[in-house]
Amino acid sequence: MSAMPNPSSDSRRAVLITGCSSGIGRRAAERLQARGYRVFATARRAADVAALRAQGFDALSLDLDDSASIARAVDTVMEQTRGRLWGLFNNGAYGQPGAVEDLSRDVLRAQFETNLFGWLELTNRVLPHMRRAGCGRIVNNSSVLGLIALPFRGAYTASKYALEGLTDTLRLELHGTGIHVSLIEPGPIASRFRANAVRKLREHIDMQASPFAERYRAALRRLEHPGPVAPFTLPPDAVVHKLLHALESPRPKARYHVTVPTHLFAVLRRLLPTALLDRVLLAVASRENG
């Protein structure tokens, strides 16, 4: 990894991070700031922005569902950095649970607005500045569910499959510009992701009218009264470690796998025929519901 500038220098590399209210985004902001970066930590809610400012970050309001909010945040960052932004870590997202046949058009659209369209718009506003500088890093936080599908995660999986395709295309289009594009693909990470997913399930899915009503009830019992942490769960630092490599290596990777499940399923997807992989995935889902 390359050496970072002195933290007290005006030449500190600046990084914009979305979804910093908790979890991976918050930890990434903390570690990058400690490492000497100038961190622009963003969140949607005013209370979270205030908490980030109290922690010493250049904190900004950024709502990925709101084009005006995205534009204001980028304008502020570019004004304060004189147009020099080294890195963008697209991290802010949520998971919408529910069987595919229980997803309305509006619910699926909302998932894509936050998890894909907002990221695209933010990235496209940043890229002209990176092009003028002749360098930069775009890092998109995907998921093991960008590699494989599991039942009742169709909306989130679709958004991550789409993100993977868009990111791969962008990486090819930016070849030779000095701007590098990477994907991080975590499996289970300790965060508020699951609690937020339960809220979205209750808010947007008519569970009682669904043919999967009993499956939903079992899922809620498991999610709202959690026992031990899911196997192979890692802390957010596991993701941040890969983020640092993507930001600092002269040859960043196109993909960074995080956690055992991601490494395993990346191999199985290449080796197994679809029918056999389906059996493995259905067995994983059955153990979750068991």
mmCIF file of all heavy atoms in Angstrom, residues 95-135:
data_model
loop_
_atom_site.group_PDB
_atom_site.id
_atom_site.type_symbol
_atom_site.label_atom_id
_atom_site.label_comp_id
_atom_site.label_asym_id
_atom_site.label_seq_id
_atom_site.Cartn_x
_atom_site.Cartn_y
_atom_site.Cartn_z
ATOM 1 N N GLY A 95 -31.643 -3.773 2.891
ATOM 2 C CA GLY A 95 -32.173 -5.005 2.335
ATOM 3 C C GLY A 95 -33.674 -5.081 2.516
ATOM 4 O O GLY A 95 -34.165 -4.962 3.636
ATOM 5 N N GLN A 96 -34.400 -5.275 1.405
ATOM 6 C CA GLN A 96 -35.850 -5.453 1.444
ATOM 7 C C GLN A 96 -36.168 -6.942 1.364
ATOM 8 O O GLN A 96 -36.042 -7.545 0.305
ATOM 9 C CB GLN A 96 -36.513 -4.725 0.281
ATOM 10 C CG GLN A 96 -38.008 -4.983 0.150
ATOM 11 C CD GLN A 96 -38.796 -4.513 1.358
ATOM 12 O OE1 GLN A 96 -38.836 -3.331 1.656
ATOM 13 N NE2 GLN A 96 -39.441 -5.441 2.057
ATOM 14 N N PRO A 97 -36.566 -7.563 2.479
ATOM 15 C CA PRO A 97 -36.928 -8.984 2.416
ATOM 16 C C PRO A 97 -38.292 -9.168 1.764
ATOM 17 O O PRO A 97 -39.069 -8.224 1.606
ATOM 18 C CB PRO A 97 -36.970 -9.401 3.891
ATOM 19 C CG PRO A 97 -36.407 -8.256 4.671
ATOM 20 C CD PRO A 97 -36.635 -7.035 3.837
ATOM 21 N N GLY A 98 -38.573 -10.417 1.435
ATOM 22 C CA GLY A 98 -39.882 -10.756 0.886
ATOM 23 C C GLY A 98 -39.752 -11.655 -0.321
ATOM 24 O O GLY A 98 -38.804 -11.544 -1.107
ATOM 25 N N ALA A 99 -40.722 -12.583 -0.460
ATOM 26 C CA ALA A 99 -40.760 -13.425 -1.650
ATOM 27 C C ALA A 99 -40.996 -12.561 -2.887
ATOM 28 O O ALA A 99 -41.667 -11.523 -2.820
ATOM 29 C CB ALA A 99 -41.878 -14.455 -1.516
ATOM 30 N N VAL A 100 -40.474 -12.991 -4.008
ATOM 31 C CA VAL A 100 -40.603 -12.205 -5.234
ATOM 32 C C VAL A 100 -42.065 -11.935 -5.553
ATOM 33 O O VAL A 100 -42.434 -10.819 -5.940
ATOM 34 C CB VAL A 100 -39.903 -12.935 -6.403
ATOM 35 C CG1 VAL A 100 -40.237 -12.270 -7.737
ATOM 36 C CG2 VAL A 100 -38.391 -12.940 -6.194
ATOM 37 N N GLU A 101 -42.939 -12.923 -5.370
ATOM 38 C CA GLU A 101 -44.346 -12.718 -5.733
ATOM 39 C C GLU A 101 -45.074 -11.795 -4.756
ATOM 40 O O GLU A 101 -46.209 -11.392 -5.008
ATOM 41 C CB GLU A 101 -45.087 -14.040 -5.855
ATOM 42 C CG GLU A 101 -45.235 -14.832 -4.567
ATOM 43 C CD GLU A 101 -45.832 -16.197 -4.837
ATOM 44 O OE1 GLU A 101 -47.075 -16.282 -5.016
ATOM 45 O OE2 GLU A 101 -45.052 -17.173 -4.881
ATOM 46 N N ASP A 102 -44.427 -11.438 -3.653
ATOM 47 C CA ASP A 102 -45.012 -10.488 -2.705
ATOM 48 C C ASP A 102 -44.463 -9.074 -2.877
ATOM 49 O O ASP A 102 -44.853 -8.170 -2.127
ATOM 50 C CB ASP A 102 -44.743 -10.946 -1.266
ATOM 51 C CG ASP A 102 -45.471 -12.233 -0.927
ATOM 52 O OD1 ASP A 102 -46.545 -12.474 -1.519
ATOM 53 O OD2 ASP A 102 -44.962 -12.991 -0.084
ATOM 54 N N LEU A 103 -43.570 -8.877 -3.832
ATOM 55 C CA LEU A 103 -42.986 -7.555 -4.056
ATOM 56 C C LEU A 103 -43.834 -6.755 -5.038
ATOM 57 O O LEU A 103 -44.106 -7.209 -6.147
ATOM 58 C CB LEU A 103 -41.563 -7.695 -4.635
ATOM 59 C CG LEU A 103 -40.512 -8.381 -3.773
ATOM 60 C CD1 LEU A 103 -39.233 -8.570 -4.583
ATOM 61 C CD2 LEU A 103 -40.233 -7.569 -2.516
ATOM 62 N N SER A 104 -44.222 -5.578 -4.619
ATOM 63 C CA SER A 104 -44.907 -4.692 -5.557
ATOM 64 C C SER A 104 -43.875 -3.951 -6.401
ATOM 65 O O SER A 104 -42.684 -3.893 -6.075
ATOM 66 C CB SER A 104 -45.761 -3.666 -4.803
ATOM 67 O OG SER A 104 -44.933 -2.731 -4.135
ATOM 68 N N ARG A 105 -44.349 -3.376 -7.493
ATOM 69 C CA ARG A 105 -43.471 -2.585 -8.349
ATOM 70 C C ARG A 105 -42.843 -1.430 -7.568
ATOM 71 O O ARG A 105 -41.650 -1.143 -7.705
ATOM 72 C CB ARG A 105 -44.281 -2.051 -9.529
ATOM 73 C CG ARG A 105 -43.467 -1.321 -10.585
ATOM 74 C CD ARG A 105 -44.371 -0.895 -11.740
ATOM 75 N NE ARG A 105 -43.601 -0.346 -12.834
ATOM 76 C CZ ARG A 105 -43.797 -0.656 -14.102
ATOM 77 N NH1 ARG A 105 -44.714 -1.552 -14.434
ATOM 78 N NH2 ARG A 105 -43.080 -0.088 -15.058
ATOM 79 N N ASP A 106 -43.631 -0.780 -6.728
ATOM 80 C CA ASP A 106 -43.128 0.353 -5.961
ATOM 81 C C ASP A 106 -42.062 -0.066 -4.960
ATOM 82 O O ASP A 106 -41.073 0.646 -4.747
ATOM 83 C CB ASP A 106 -44.276 1.065 -5.235
ATOM 84 C CG ASP A 106 -45.155 1.877 -6.181
ATOM 85 O OD1 ASP A 106 -44.701 2.165 -7.310
ATOM 86 O OD2 ASP A 106 -46.284 2.219 -5.777
ATOM 87 N N VAL A 107 -42.250 -1.222 -4.321
ATOM 88 C CA VAL A 107 -41.277 -1.691 -3.342
ATOM 89 C C VAL A 107 -39.959 -2.041 -4.027
ATOM 90 O O VAL A 107 -38.871 -1.693 -3.530
ATOM 91 C CB VAL A 107 -41.837 -2.903 -2.567
ATOM 92 C CG1 VAL A 107 -40.743 -3.599 -1.770
ATOM 93 C CG2 VAL A 107 -42.957 -2.449 -1.638
ATOM 94 N N LEU A 108 -40.035 -2.704 -5.170
ATOM 95 C CA LEU A 108 -38.812 -3.041 -5.890
ATOM 96 C C LEU A 108 -38.123 -1.780 -6.403
ATOM 97 O O LEU A 108 -36.892 -1.655 -6.352
ATOM 98 C CB LEU A 108 -39.120 -3.983 -7.049
ATOM 99 C CG LEU A 108 -37.904 -4.562 -7.791
ATOM 100 C CD1 LEU A 108 -37.013 -5.347 -6.850
ATOM 101 C CD2 LEU A 108 -38.345 -5.425 -8.959
ATOM 102 N N ARG A 109 -38.916 -0.836 -6.867
ATOM 103 C CA ARG A 109 -38.344 0.430 -7.347
ATOM 104 C C ARG A 109 -37.614 1.153 -6.197
ATOM 105 O O ARG A 109 -36.523 1.701 -6.396
ATOM 106 C CB ARG A 109 -39.430 1.331 -7.922
ATOM 107 C CG ARG A 109 -38.884 2.656 -8.470
ATOM 108 C CD ARG A 109 -39.989 3.585 -8.925
ATOM 109 N NE ARG A 109 -40.663 3.085 -10.110
ATOM 110 C CZ ARG A 109 -41.920 2.682 -10.159
ATOM 111 N NH1 ARG A 109 -42.661 2.705 -9.041
ATOM 112 N NH2 ARG A 109 -42.462 2.257 -11.274
ATOM 113 N N ALA A 110 -38.213 1.162 -5.020
ATOM 114 C CA ALA A 110 -37.576 1.817 -3.876
ATOM 115 C C ALA A 110 -36.243 1.164 -3.539
ATOM 116 O O ALA A 110 -35.274 1.851 -3.197
ATOM 117 C CB ALA A 110 -38.515 1.781 -2.667
ATOM 118 N N GLN A 111 -36.180 -0.182 -3.623
ATOM 119 C CA GLN A 111 -34.925 -0.870 -3.371
ATOM 120 C C GLN A 111 -33.840 -0.431 -4.351
ATOM 121 O O GLN A 111 -32.695 -0.167 -3.979
ATOM 122 C CB GLN A 111 -35.143 -2.385 -3.476
ATOM 123 C CG GLN A 111 -33.913 -3.224 -3.241
ATOM 124 C CD GLN A 111 -33.560 -3.373 -1.773
ATOM 125 O OE1 GLN A 111 -33.758 -4.427 -1.182
ATOM 126 N NE2 GLN A 111 -33.016 -2.337 -1.169
ATOM 127 N N PHE A 112 -34.215 -0.307 -5.615
ATOM 128 C CA PHE A 112 -33.252 0.101 -6.640
ATOM 129 C C PHE A 112 -32.906 1.588 -6.537
ATOM 130 O O PHE A 112 -31.769 1.972 -6.841
ATOM 131 C CB PHE A 112 -33.786 -0.230 -8.029
ATOM 132 C CG PHE A 112 -33.432 -1.614 -8.495
ATOM 133 C CD1 PHE A 112 -33.992 -2.730 -7.894
ATOM 134 C CD2 PHE A 112 -32.516 -1.806 -9.513
ATOM 135 C CE1 PHE A 112 -33.660 -4.010 -8.310
ATOM 136 C CE2 PHE A 112 -32.173 -3.081 -9.935
ATOM 137 C CZ PHE A 112 -32.740 -4.196 -9.330
ATOM 138 N N GLU A 113 -33.839 2.413 -6.116
ATOM 139 C CA GLU A 113 -33.538 3.839 -5.965
ATOM 140 C C GLU A 113 -32.373 4.048 -5.003
ATOM 141 O O GLU A 113 -31.452 4.822 -5.279
ATOM 142 C CB GLU A 113 -34.770 4.595 -5.452
ATOM 143 C CG GLU A 113 -35.871 4.823 -6.475
ATOM 144 C CD GLU A 113 -35.501 5.844 -7.530
ATOM 145 O OE1 GLU A 113 -34.481 6.538 -7.394
ATOM 146 O OE2 GLU A 113 -36.256 5.955 -8.517
ATOM 147 N N THR A 114 -32.406 3.356 -3.876
ATOM 148 C CA THR A 114 -31.352 3.517 -2.878
ATOM 149 C C THR A 114 -30.097 2.737 -3.248
ATOM 150 O O THR A 114 -28.987 3.272 -3.210
ATOM 151 C CB THR A 114 -31.858 3.055 -1.501
ATOM 152 O OG1 THR A 114 -32.990 3.832 -1.126
ATOM 153 C CG2 THR A 114 -30.768 3.221 -0.441
ATOM 154 N N ASN A 115 -30.264 1.462 -3.593
ATOM 155 C CA ASN A 115 -29.124 0.565 -3.736
ATOM 156 C C ASN A 115 -28.417 0.653 -5.081
ATOM 157 O O ASN A 115 -27.297 0.144 -5.211
ATOM 158 C CB ASN A 115 -29.563 -0.888 -3.521
ATOM 159 C CG ASN A 115 -29.929 -1.192 -2.090
ATOM 160 O OD1 ASN A 115 -30.119 -0.288 -1.285
ATOM 161 N ND2 ASN A 115 -30.042 -2.467 -1.761
ATOM 162 N N LEU A 116 -29.054 1.273 -6.083
ATOM 163 C CA LEU A 116 -28.423 1.318 -7.402
ATOM 164 C C LEU A 116 -28.492 2.708 -8.029
ATOM 165 O O LEU A 116 -27.459 3.288 -8.361
ATOM 166 C CB LEU A 116 -29.072 0.300 -8.342
ATOM 167 C CG LEU A 116 -28.386 0.177 -9.707
ATOM 168 C CD1 LEU A 116 -27.031 -0.506 -9.583
ATOM 169 C CD2 LEU A 116 -29.273 -0.571 -10.700
ATOM 170 N N PHE A 117 -29.691 3.246 -8.181
ATOM 171 C CA PHE A 117 -29.826 4.511 -8.908
ATOM 172 C C PHE A 117 -29.126 5.654 -8.181
ATOM 173 O O PHE A 117 -28.483 6.505 -8.802
ATOM 174 C CB PHE A 117 -31.295 4.852 -9.141
ATOM 175 C CG PHE A 117 -32.060 3.788 -9.894
ATOM 176 C CD1 PHE A 117 -33.423 3.624 -9.688
ATOM 177 C CD2 PHE A 117 -31.424 2.953 -10.785
ATOM 178 C CE1 PHE A 117 -34.133 2.644 -10.370
ATOM 179 C CE2 PHE A 117 -32.132 1.970 -11.474
ATOM 180 C CZ PHE A 117 -33.487 1.807 -11.264
ATOM 181 N N GLY A 118 -29.244 5.677 -6.833
ATOM 182 C CA GLY A 118 -28.561 6.714 -6.069
ATOM 183 C C GLY A 118 -27.051 6.598 -6.192
ATOM 184 O O GLY A 118 -26.345 7.602 -6.330
ATOM 185 N N TRP A 119 -26.551 5.362 -6.157
ATOM 186 C CA TRP A 119 -25.110 5.140 -6.307
ATOM 187 C C TRP A 119 -24.644 5.589 -7.688
ATOM 188 O O TRP A 119 -23.571 6.180 -7.828
ATOM 189 C CB TRP A 119 -24.780 3.665 -6.106
ATOM 190 C CG TRP A 119 -24.973 3.152 -4.711
ATOM 191 C CD1 TRP A 119 -25.826 3.616 -3.756
ATOM 192 C CD2 TRP A 119 -24.299 2.044 -4.122
ATOM 193 N NE1 TRP A 119 -25.735 2.875 -2.610
ATOM 194 C CE2 TRP A 119 -24.810 1.899 -2.808
ATOM 195 C CE3 TRP A 119 -23.337 1.146 -4.569
ATOM 196 C CZ2 TRP A 119 -24.365 0.892 -1.939
ATOM 197 C CZ3 TRP A 119 -22.892 0.150 -3.717
ATOM 198 C CH2 TRP A 119 -23.406 0.021 -2.413
ATOM 199 N N LEU A 120 -25.424 5.270 -8.704
ATOM 200 C CA LEU A 120 -25.065 5.666 -10.066
ATOM 201 C C LEU A 120 -24.993 7.185 -10.184
ATOM 202 O O LEU A 120 -24.024 7.738 -10.738
ATOM 203 C CB LEU A 120 -26.094 5.114 -11.053
ATOM 204 C CG LEU A 120 -25.985 5.622 -12.495
ATOM 205 C CD1 LEU A 120 -24.700 5.144 -13.140
ATOM 206 C CD2 LEU A 120 -27.198 5.193 -13.313
ATOM 207 N N GLU A 121 -26.007 7.866 -9.671
ATOM 208 C CA GLU A 121 -26.042 9.320 -9.787
ATOM 209 C C GLU A 121 -24.887 9.956 -9.017
ATOM 210 O O GLU A 121 -24.238 10.889 -9.517
ATOM 211 C CB GLU A 121 -27.377 9.849 -9.271
ATOM 212 C CG GLU A 121 -27.561 11.337 -9.486
ATOM 213 C CD GLU A 121 -28.969 11.804 -9.175
ATOM 214 O OE1 GLU A 121 -29.814 10.964 -8.776
ATOM 215 O OE2 GLU A 121 -29.223 13.010 -9.335
ATOM 216 N N LEU A 122 -24.613 9.467 -7.832
ATOM 217 C CA LEU A 122 -23.507 9.999 -7.043
ATOM 218 C C LEU A 122 -22.171 9.763 -7.761
ATOM 219 O O LEU A 122 -21.332 10.674 -7.868
ATOM 220 C CB LEU A 122 -23.494 9.337 -5.666
ATOM 221 C CG LEU A 122 -22.364 9.721 -4.726
ATOM 222 C CD1 LEU A 122 -22.338 11.218 -4.464
ATOM 223 C CD2 LEU A 122 -22.477 8.943 -3.409
ATOM 224 N N THR A 123 -21.967 8.567 -8.255
ATOM 225 C CA THR A 123 -20.731 8.247 -8.970
ATOM 226 C C THR A 123 -20.558 9.123 -10.196
ATOM 227 O O THR A 123 -19.464 9.652 -10.455
ATOM 228 C CB THR A 123 -20.725 6.759 -9.370
ATOM 229 O OG1 THR A 123 -20.833 5.947 -8.194
ATOM 230 C CG2 THR A 123 -19.456 6.396 -10.118
ATOM 231 N N ASN A 124 -21.624 9.312 -10.946
ATOM 232 C CA ASN A 124 -21.525 10.097 -12.175
ATOM 233 C C ASN A 124 -21.281 11.578 -11.899
ATOM 234 O O ASN A 124 -20.734 12.280 -12.749
ATOM 235 C CB ASN A 124 -22.783 9.912 -13.019
ATOM 236 C CG ASN A 124 -22.812 8.576 -13.739
ATOM 237 O OD1 ASN A 124 -21.813 7.844 -13.748
ATOM 238 N ND2 ASN A 124 -23.936 8.229 -14.333
ATOM 239 N N ARG A 125 -21.651 12.055 -10.739
ATOM 240 C CA ARG A 125 -21.349 13.445 -10.373
ATOM 241 C C ARG A 125 -19.894 13.603 -9.928
ATOM 242 O O ARG A 125 -19.310 14.685 -10.070
ATOM 243 C CB ARG A 125 -22.298 13.933 -9.270
ATOM 244 C CG ARG A 125 -23.676 14.312 -9.786
ATOM 245 C CD ARG A 125 -24.490 15.019 -8.737
ATOM 246 N NE ARG A 125 -25.725 15.565 -9.295
ATOM 247 C CZ ARG A 125 -25.832 16.750 -9.864
ATOM 248 N NH1 ARG A 125 -24.759 17.535 -9.951
ATOM 249 N NH2 ARG A 125 -26.972 17.171 -10.355
ATOM 250 N N VAL A 126 -19.335 12.533 -9.400
ATOM 251 C CA VAL A 126 -17.953 12.582 -8.927
ATOM 252 C C VAL A 126 -16.949 12.374 -10.065
ATOM 253 O O VAL A 126 -15.865 12.963 -10.087
ATOM 254 C CB VAL A 126 -17.761 11.513 -7.823
ATOM 255 C CG1 VAL A 126 -16.291 11.218 -7.581
ATOM 256 C CG2 VAL A 126 -18.440 11.957 -6.534
ATOM 257 N N LEU A 127 -17.304 11.537 -11.024
ATOM 258 C CA LEU A 127 -16.358 11.122 -12.053
ATOM 259 C C LEU A 127 -15.738 12.263 -12.865
ATOM 260 O O LEU A 127 -14.530 12.215 -13.146
ATOM 261 C CB LEU A 127 -17.012 10.102 -12.990
ATOM 262 C CG LEU A 127 -17.006 8.665 -12.475
ATOM 263 C CD1 LEU A 127 -17.817 7.757 -13.390
ATOM 264 C CD2 LEU A 127 -15.572 8.142 -12.353
ATOM 265 N N PRO A 128 -16.475 13.303 -13.266
ATOM 266 C CA PRO A 128 -15.809 14.375 -14.025
ATOM 267 C C PRO A 128 -14.653 15.020 -13.262
ATOM 268 O O PRO A 128 -13.636 15.389 -13.857
ATOM 269 C CB PRO A 128 -16.943 15.376 -14.270
ATOM 270 C CG PRO A 128 -18.185 14.558 -14.232
ATOM 271 C CD PRO A 128 -17.928 13.513 -13.191
ATOM 272 N N HIS A 129 -14.787 15.136 -11.960
ATOM 273 C CA HIS A 129 -13.718 15.706 -11.144
ATOM 274 C C HIS A 129 -12.515 14.767 -11.106
ATOM 275 O O HIS A 129 -11.358 15.216 -11.173
ATOM 276 C CB HIS A 129 -14.227 15.989 -9.740
ATOM 277 C CG HIS A 129 -15.386 16.949 -9.706
ATOM 278 N ND1 HIS A 129 -15.224 18.311 -9.729
ATOM 279 C CD2 HIS A 129 -16.730 16.716 -9.672
ATOM 280 C CE1 HIS A 129 -16.418 18.895 -9.694
ATOM 281 N NE2 HIS A 129 -17.342 17.954 -9.654
ATOM 282 N N MET A 130 -12.758 13.475 -10.973
ATOM 283 C CA MET A 130 -11.663 12.504 -10.981
ATOM 284 C C MET A 130 -10.986 12.472 -12.346
ATOM 285 O O MET A 130 -9.753 12.338 -12.451
ATOM 286 C CB MET A 130 -12.176 11.117 -10.595
ATOM 287 C CG MET A 130 -12.576 10.981 -9.131
ATOM 288 S SD MET A 130 -13.035 9.271 -8.720
ATOM 289 C CE MET A 130 -13.219 9.388 -6.929
ATOM 290 N N ARG A 131 -11.765 12.599 -13.403
ATOM 291 C CA ARG A 131 -11.179 12.624 -14.752
ATOM 292 C C ARG A 131 -10.238 13.817 -14.908
ATOM 293 O O ARG A 131 -9.140 13.684 -15.468
ATOM 294 C CB ARG A 131 -12.279 12.682 -15.804
ATOM 295 C CG ARG A 131 -12.943 11.347 -16.118
ATOM 296 C CD ARG A 131 -13.914 11.486 -17.267
ATOM 297 N NE ARG A 131 -14.474 10.204 -17.668
ATOM 298 C CZ ARG A 131 -13.894 9.372 -18.526
ATOM 299 N NH1 ARG A 131 -12.721 9.683 -19.046
ATOM 300 N NH2 ARG A 131 -14.474 8.240 -18.847
ATOM 301 N N ARG A 132 -10.655 14.977 -14.415
ATOM 302 C CA ARG A 132 -9.791 16.154 -14.524
ATOM 303 C C ARG A 132 -8.508 15.975 -13.715
ATOM 304 O O ARG A 132 -7.431 16.440 -14.115
ATOM 305 C CB ARG A 132 -10.544 17.401 -14.062
ATOM 306 C CG ARG A 132 -11.538 17.927 -15.089
ATOM 307 C CD ARG A 132 -12.032 19.318 -14.737
ATOM 308 N NE ARG A 132 -12.946 19.298 -13.603
ATOM 309 C CZ ARG A 132 -14.266 19.127 -13.724
ATOM 310 N NH1 ARG A 132 -14.809 18.932 -14.931
ATOM 311 N NH2 ARG A 132 -15.036 19.134 -12.667
ATOM 312 N N ALA A 133 -8.627 15.281 -12.575
ATOM 313 C CA ALA A 133 -7.445 15.032 -11.746
ATOM 314 C C ALA A 133 -6.569 13.919 -12.315
ATOM 315 O O ALA A 133 -5.383 13.817 -11.985
ATOM 316 C CB ALA A 133 -7.866 14.681 -10.325
ATOM 317 N N GLY A 134 -7.155 13.064 -13.147
ATOM 318 C CA GLY A 134 -6.405 11.954 -13.733
ATOM 319 C C GLY A 134 -6.185 10.794 -12.800
ATOM 320 O O GLY A 134 -5.336 9.928 -13.045
ATOM 321 N N CYS A 135 -6.973 10.734 -11.711
ATOM 322 C CA CYS A 135 -6.814 9.640 -10.761
ATOM 323 C C CYS A 135 -8.046 9.571 -9.865
ATOM 324 O O CYS A 135 -8.825 10.521 -9.788
ATOM 325 C CB CYS A 135 -5.559 9.809 -9.910
ATOM 326 S SG CYS A 135 -5.549 11.328 -8.915
#
